[in-house]
Amino acid sequence: MPPTNYYGTGLEQGYWGLMIVTYPYISGLVAGSFVVATLSQLFGRKRLAPIAPLAAILSFALLLAAPLTIWGDARQPSRVYELLTRMHVPYSPMALFLLIWIAYVILMLVELYAVFRAGNAERAAWQSRSLKGKISSVLTLGVRDTSATSLRRDERIVRWTAGIGILLAFLFHGYIGFIFGSMKARALWSTPLMPVLFIVSAIVSGIALVQLVYLAVSKWYGWTIDREIVAELNAWLVGTILLDLYLDVVDLVTSGVRGYAPEETFEWFNRLYFHGPLIWTYFGLQLGIGIIIPLIALMTRRSRLSIVNSAIMAFFVLVGVYAMRWNVVAGGQMASKVTNDVVSYPIVGTGYDSVQTVVGVFAIALLLFLFFMWGAPWRTGVEQPSEGSGGSSGIASTAVPGASTVTEQEVQSTTQGIPLTPPLPGSNSPGTSNSFNRASNGEKELQSLYPSVTNTQTQRGRS
Amino acid sequence: MPISKQAVSRRSFLGMLSATAAAVGGSVSLLGSKTARAIRVVARPSAAQMQRLLAYYKTKPRWASWLVPELNVNDGWQRWMRTILNSKSLPIVHDNFSRIGTTIRQPHHWVMVIDERRCVGCQACVVACKDENNVPVGVYRTWVDVVEIGQMVPDPTGAIVTDHGRFTNNIKRSSMPLICNHCDHPPCVEVCPVKATFKRADGIVMIDYDLCIGCGYCIQACPYNARFFNPVQQTADKCTFCAHRVDRGLLPACVTSCPTHARVFGDKNDPTSEVSKLISTTPTTVLKEDLGTHPQVFYINREQEVYDKNSVKNTVYPYTANLNSTEYATLSGNAPLPGDTGGQR
Ligand code: SF4
Ligand code: SF4
């Protein structure tokens, strides 16, 4: 059925609606959460290692949902295969989409395989009869080895994929910025700052999302929240927000000051953001809620350790980044190309390219994420019951059904250190405490720590 | 497109005209007497014949613009199926547009000259285009902005007496026909991810509606807002310079319908064509020259203020632009115009 909602009133219309506002948002979250995962996988921020698997599946779920936005926005969705058969490279930035996306999906599959292989192997050994165990055994692709050498190999794969992946993530998201930035027809889009602005705000939103998801997941399962992780994420958040603020200020100065900007750019920037319909989303949401308030609220270490504060600020940042996407995508189109009028750009509630479809895309991303959470042994490390209930390690928790409902105990002191549970091998660089121990001291210590591994070994011996 | 009664009369008119032209000296002409497709081209006129032809043109102004574009017989106008005239065998490019005219032979270079001194803002071309190309309601392939520039000046001796004092009218009305510029370096073509839109070697920028995925990139990339989504076929759409007519030796519909001959269409490669002469003898401008798109629609006496947003403080009446034709009702009621800048109505 042809869409019945048309934007605007007449010739000049904002054809790229809410779905295209959401598209850079989601792909930014993909890139951002991937960057969070690589912080520990590649850059040795070992404290963040426990949440790396979570960030990775979050990134993957969003990655799978991301194309739905542009697919839903295309007027002839049945012809998308032409993006592969009639690809207009290298002239059209958009033509690269499917190529980059497929490459990214493949890379993520490799990385997720390596991240979760050991966990899958253990689960397959423990729950060989259950559906989960069967899935896990398939997902190991037959490699059930959990010895130190195999763990180190996984780690190496993860490091490589993280290294390539971060380039791909920047490409995947940066080219969207380039799509806008390369459009000389639109005064407010055509700035070389655009790709950089997009990537930086993507990282900001990714960190905030991982933060929020980590807090939500821990609350949901009643685990103790590791405040060091929260604080570290907040520290990264503050750093990237500062960078974002810097770029926003540069953008503001080079577009919003008559003396520095091309006349058309200045006129529209001035009319839309300073006096026009976008004043609230720009100053209120993008700069205020998205940048200034989080910066102030996360200023001190004390405030960065506060869970409630972090959750609220992460939410604020997510809202602010969405507002930034809105300001760019909608604002660019509100600036008329051929008349002096502001093009109307209404938000459509239901139907084609509407709030409804955007909610749908997010719902699909959430469903995918929940599905991966169900399927992947990501809990290792994140799951952190209080110290009293020792013995419930990550590995055991994936093995023992019901381990997730560990009794909630007293909230730990704010300076709780590295979790007792070793992080997943892949998510840790060599030399980090626990996986290092596992690697160096070999199976003996491993067995004393995790009796479950013994079983795995024997099973492997049998098979 | 059904052949209407009008087409029949058009044909007989053409027959008459070409008979006259042939009598004058075998000018190029189009005879649609047998079939709509058959194109008979007399050999290219000699210099003397051309002189006589031009003299004839001078005595008989082309008020109705019924003359055909000047054609070059060497381009194979008689061999319809096998030659360049058949748009199916016309080379098309999707990028690297400077190839046209260098490595790709450019048989014609169709351009339009719009003489704003003559435009009266009657919108006949808009209607003709909609009629010819079946353009849906609410979108336009060509449109004419009619704007009023200036304001009422308070003047103690002014002729206009109101409750608020006397004024002198310092408002002029200007109209500006707009159309796809068939740019020589069209950003819209370059960005299409699936090569659905293309530039023909004769300069016409077109869209293959069977390939377009409807991503809207080209619509965003056109600096002139010449493209739109066709709400019926759900693809990008825009002016084609009436390629289906031009390929058969006819003029675009808007050109034929213009009562004041404000639109002139022709081959810029042909130095004797009216467009070539206009461009070489009259100062012309193109829109948004600074963007480097090399538009091929040339304006004579363009009202700068109409198009450059930053000086259009007093645009009060953009009428096809930015107004949905289905909402024309608002013009007569009290409802504010969308995006009204608050100027005088
Ligand atoms: S005017 Fe617009 S649609 Fe026409 S060729 Fe130029 S850029 Fe393309
Ligand atoms: S809307 Fe159609 S013609 Fe335009 S860029 Fe997209 S696929 Fe190409």
Side-chain angles (χ1 to χ4, degrees):
Chain A
M1 213 191 94
T4 45
N5 303 315
Y6 297 112
Y7 293 125
T9 47
L11 271 185
E12 191 145 11
Q13 305 178 7
Y15 279 117
W16 281 356
L18 269 185
M19 286 293 247
I20 300 294
V21 176
T22 311
Y23 170 45
Y25 186 64
I26 289 200
S27 77
L29 292 177
V30 172
S33 41
F34 190 88
V35 167
V36 175
T38 53
L39 281 179
S40 67
Q41 292 164 346
L42 191 64
F43 299 118
R45 305 302 305 177
K46 55 193 176 204
R47 197 171 281 151
L48 294 179
I51 56 163
L54 191 65
I57 56 173
L58 186 60
S59 180
F60 192 54
L62 287 163
L63 177 64
L64 293 186
L68 294 176
T69 49
I70 36 173
W71 199 16
D73 189 73
R75 310 269 159 149
Q76 296 286 349
S78 59
R79 294 178 189 161
V80 279
Y81 62 89
E82 286 171 8
L83 279 174
L84 286 177
T85 56
R86 298 182 55 85
M87 208 185 296
H88 194 194
V89 283
Y91 295 95
S92 170
M94 200 183 275
L96 290 170
F97 172 75
L98 265 188
L99 211 63
I100 301 179
W101 185 75
I102 289 171
Y104 202 179
V105 167
I106 292 172
L107 184 114
M108 283 297 280
L109 284 175
V110 174
E111 162 160 350
L112 289 177
Y113 166 75
V115 167
F116 292 122
R117 194 197 58 80
N120 275 328
E122 277 155 18
R123 182 195 273 168
W126 267 94
Q127 310 182 331
S128 55
R129 278 167 211 283
S130 75
L131 175 65
K132 260 191 189 181
K134 283 183 184 132
I135 293 177
S136 286
S137 83
V138 170
L139 288 179
T140 58
L141 299 182
V143 187
R144 304 277 182 78
D145 191 0
T146 47
S147 66
T149 25
S150 77
L151 294 183
R152 260 210 298 272
R153 203 197 50 199
D154 285 347
E155 225 166 69
R156 220 169 30 241
I157 296 179
V158 169
R159 229 182 358 256
W160 271 100
T161 48
I164 303 169
I166 202 156
L167 293 179
L168 264 182
F170 277 28
L171 193 62
F172 182 68
H173 191 65
Y175 102 99
I176 297 173
F178 185 69
I179 284 182
F180 293 110
S182 64
M183 217 169 282
K184 60 184 174 186
R186 294 257 181 229
L188 292 182
W189 284 352
S190 89
T191 152
L193 269 182
M194 211 45 101
V196 194
L197 249 162
F198 267 60
I199 285 180
V200 171
S201 56
I203 298 174
V204 170
S205 67
I207 295 172
L209 183 71
V210 173
Q211 175 86 279
L212 210 55
V213 167
Y214 171 59
L215 295 178
V217 163
S218 301
K219 261 263 144 345
W220 176 262
Y221 288 113
W223 299 334
T224 307
I225 293 164
D226 183 351
R227 288 174 192 247
E228 284 302 318
I229 293 180
V230 173
E232 167 117 22
L233 280 176
N234 277 336
W236 282 100
L237 193 59
V238 169
T240 43
I241 286 180
L242 276 175
L243 196 55
D244 200 20
L245 177 66
Y246 164 71
L247 287 170
D248 270 342
V249 168
V250 171
D251 188 36
L252 190 84
V253 168
T254 52
S255 316
V257 179
R258 192 186 286 277
Y260 308 153
E263 193 167 11
E264 205 181 332
T265 313
F266 165 75
E267 278 286 335
W268 283 114
F269 203 92
N270 197 29
R271 271 176 78 173
L272 293 174
Y273 298 133
F274 289 166
H275 306 293
L278 294 176
I279 180 166
W280 290 112
T281 48
Y282 186 68
F283 285 106
L285 293 183
Q286 180 181 338
L287 294 182
I289 285 190
I291 292 185
I292 306 294
I293 294 181
L295 264 190
I296 296 171
L298 297 174
M299 197 70 93
T300 62
R301 178 164 167 82
R302 231 180 101 89
S303 63
R304 288 203 290 273
L305 283 167
S306 155
I307 286 169
V308 177
N309 186 31
S310 306
I312 294 174
M313 286 313 131
F315 180 72
F316 274 16
V317 164
L318 286 174
V319 170
V321 173
Y322 196 83
M324 180 264 177
R325 308 296 195 240
W326 168 265
N327 287 339
V328 169
V329 178
Q333 296 180 80
M334 282 179 185
S336 166
K337 291 191 273 198
V338 291
T339 70
N340 68 336
D341 281 341
V342 173
V343 178
S344 51
Y345 190 89
I347 302 175
V348 186
T350 55
Y352 172 81
D353 211 355
S354 61
V355 177
Q356 186 192 14
T357 50
V358 168
V359 170
V361 169
F362 278 119
I364 288 173
L366 180 65
L367 276 181
L368 285 169
F369 178 59
L370 293 180
F371 176 70
F372 294 148
M373 272 174 71
W374 172 80
W378 54 276
R379 293 180 180 182
T380 321
V382 193
E383 180 177 18
Q384 202 181 133
S386 48
E387 273 159 2
S389 66
S392 167
S393 73
I395 292 169
S397 77
T398 56
V400 184
S404 56
T405 55
V406 165
T407 46
E408 194 176 1
Q409 302 237 342
E410 269 300 314
V411 174
Q412 299 284 304
S413 75
T414 56
T415 50
Q416 187 181 2
I418 296 158
L420 171 75
T421 315
L424 270 179
S427 56
N428 230 330
S429 56
T432 59
S433 57
N434 283 323
S435 81
F436 181 71
N437 287 342
R438 278 171 86 161
S440 57
N441 296 349
E443 290 179 7
K444 199 173 165 193
E445 184 183 337
L446 206 61
Q447 280 175 18
S448 67
L449 262 175
Y450 310 109
S452 64
V453 177
T454 326
N455 287 332
T456 316
Q457 303 295 334
T458 30
Q459 275 230 343
R460 186 168 52 84
R462 255 189 264 130
S463 61
Chain B
M1 197 113 342
I3 294 175
S4 61
K5 276 185 201 143
Q6 197 200 350
V8 176
S9 68
R10 189 181 293 170
R11 232 180 268 150
S12 60
F13 185 85
L14 277 174
M16 236 170 61
L17 194 66
S18 49
T20 324
V24 170
S27 86
V28 278
S29 71
L30 175 90
L31 268 175
S33 58
K34 288 278 187 270
T35 66
R37 262 199 195 173
I39 294 174
R40 288 192 211 151
V41 181
V42 194
R44 194 171 176 73
S46 68
Q49 284 170 335
M50 207 63 204
Q51 287 301 320
R52 300 229 295 282
L53 193 61
L54 291 177
Y56 167 78
Y57 283 165
K58 282 206 183 102
T59 60
K60 294 244 186 301
R62 298 165 58 180
W63 64 272
S65 316
W66 276 112
L67 285 192
V68 296
E70 281 80 3
L71 308 174
N72 185 348
V73 72
N74 300 324
D75 284 334
W77 281 90
Q78 303 107 323
R79 288 165 289 136
W80 159 256
M81 286 314 288
R82 271 181 295 121
T83 56
I84 209 88
L85 243 193
N86 184 347
S87 52
K88 291 225 164 48
S89 52
L90 195 66
I92 58 173
V93 293
H94 302 100
D95 36 62
N96 271 332
F97 304 103
S98 42
R99 277 180 295 170
I100 298 180
T102 53
T103 57
I104 298 176
R105 184 170 151 269
Q106 188 178 32
H108 303 286
H109 187 173
W110 302 123
V111 301
M112 188 179 282
V113 176
I114 293 179
D115 191 346
E116 282 201 14
R117 296 171 300 189
R118 296 180 166 206
C119 178
V120 292
C122 69
Q123 312 279 336
C125 48
V126 179
V127 176
C129 174
K130 286 219 155 211
D131 202 10
E132 173 77 28
N133 297 301
N134 203 9
V135 182
V137 168
V139 286
Y140 300 87
R141 287 187 177 189
T142 181
W143 66 102
V144 182
D145 280 358
V146 180
V147 298
E148 287 175 354
I149 299 166
Q151 48 194 307
M152 294 295 223
V153 185
D155 180 2
T157 60
I160 300 162
V161 185
T162 72
D163 286 352
H164 310 290
R166 299 174 69 134
F167 293 89
T168 303
N169 188 348
N170 189 25
I171 297 175
K172 67 175 171 181
R173 176 170 287 203
S174 182
S175 51
M176 175 161 188
L178 290 158
I179 190 172
C180 166
N181 290 285
H182 296 273
C183 309
D184 267 0
H185 290 273
C188 59
V189 175
E190 194 133 3
V191 299
C192 177
V194 296
K195 293 188 267 189
T197 173
F198 55 89
K199 186 172 177 71
R200 302 193 337 182
D202 61 359
I204 301 182
V205 174
M206 288 175 74
I207 303 162
D208 189 329
Y209 304 122
D210 291 335
L211 291 176
C212 171
I213 60 171
C215 64
Y217 202 174
C218 57
I219 299 175
Q220 304 286 0
C222 169
Y224 309 98
N225 197 30
R227 289 179 173 239
F228 55 87
F229 267 129
N230 187 315
V232 175
Q233 66 194 25
Q234 292 296 329
T235 62
D237 199 358
K238 72 172 196 63
C239 157
T240 59
F241 260 171
C242 282
H244 58 291
R245 290 172 62 96
V246 174
D247 286 346
R248 286 153 180 76
L250 294 169
L251 286 166
C254 56
V255 176
T256 56
S257 70
C258 180
T260 59
H261 197 47
R263 293 187 186 230
V264 187
F265 180 83
D267 185 356
K268 203 167 79 166
N269 278 0
D270 179 358
T272 59
S273 68
E274 187 176 358
V275 284
S276 295
K277 281 180 277 181
L278 273 175
I279 292 171
S280 59
T281 57
T282 323
T284 55
T285 51
V286 293
L287 302 180
K288 299 194 180 182
E289 197 176 1
D290 51 327
L291 290 183
T293 52
H294 296 247
Q296 295 306 305
V297 172
F298 300 87
Y299 286 83
I300 297 175
N301 204 34
R302 176 161 67 93
E303 196 70 68
Q304 284 285 346
E305 287 166 77
V306 181
Y307 207 71
D308 296 347
K309 331 183 165 36
N310 39 39
S311 53
V312 202
K313 296 293 192 299
N314 301 314
T315 307
V316 291
Y317 205 60
Y319 88 32
T320 38
N322 247 12
L323 265 186
N324 195 324
S325 56
T326 56
E327 292 182 344
Y328 272 179
T330 57
L331 281 175
S332 54
N334 290 327
L337 293 176
D340 195 351
T341 46
Q344 311 89 334
R345 182 84 37 94

